[in-house]
Amino acid sequence: MARLLAVAAGVLLASSAWAGAQSPVLVGRVTEVTDGDTIHVALASGPIIVRLHSIDTPERSQPWGRQATAALARRLRQGTEVTLRPITQDEYDRLGAVVYLGDENVNAWMVQQGHAWAYRRYLDDAQYCAWEQQARASGLGVWSLPPSKR
């Protein structure tokens, strides 16, 4: 935990036009996509593990888990530059963050495409629930599976 805080403290705070306010941001490059909601990022100050905040995806061994992982890996190929808006740190010392690819909120994209659902336990933006409902209604991603497989 102290290492992650030191890494974050060592990174310059920047203004974020896409977030609509001044907020701390970290910029780095994706080194690995672990699963549909976890990535490894190399910052100038060192590597970190990032948990995409406000979303959850099936584990790789569960139905749609491999597809969710593959979708995120296609979106965030190794070496892709991302901007992180830190929210929290979880019990596994992962940085909980909103991940941006340019101006696009990747966390939201995963939900909109049906690869993830709103993680209500850690939700800070109700819009994720609306995006989930749209994906459900459209039968996208995990929502294309029979209810017994979700």
Side-chain angles (χ1 to χ4, degrees), residues 15-38:
S15 172
S16 171
W18 40 261
Q22 292 236 356
S23 61
V25 296
L26 305 172
V27 177
R29 296 207 176 269
V30 175
T31 59
E32 180 183 350
V33 172
T34 305
D35 58 28
D37 52 35
T38 310

Side-chain angles (χ1 to χ4, degrees), residues 14-83:
S15 172
S16 171
W18 40 261
Q22 292 236 356
S23 61
V25 296
L26 305 172
V27 177
R29 296 207 176 269
V30 175
T31 59
E32 180 183 350
V33 172
T34 305
D35 58 28
D37 52 35
T38 310
I39 62 175
H40 292 234
V41 176
L43 302 175
S45 55
I48 61 170
I49 300 174
V50 178
R51 173 69 165 75
L52 279 68
H53 192 266
S54 298
I55 74 168
D56 197 19
T57 63
E59 299 304 321
R60 286 182 294 180
S61 61
Q62 296 175 323
W64 208 263
R66 289 184 314 178
Q67 292 91 328
T69 302
L72 186 59
R74 283 190 305 272
R75 199 73 175 161
L76 300 179
R77 296 184 187 281
Q78 188 172 5
T80 299
E81 184 177 275
V82 293
T83 303

Side-chain angles (χ1 to χ4, degrees), residues 54 105 108 111-112 118 120 123-134:
S54 298
N105 176 334
V111 174
Q112 292 164 345
R120 286 153 178 84
L123 198 62
D124 65 354
D125 182 349
Q127 184 61 46
Y128 283 89
C129 294
W131 292 323
E132 177 188 306
Q133 184 54 41
Q134 290 170 347

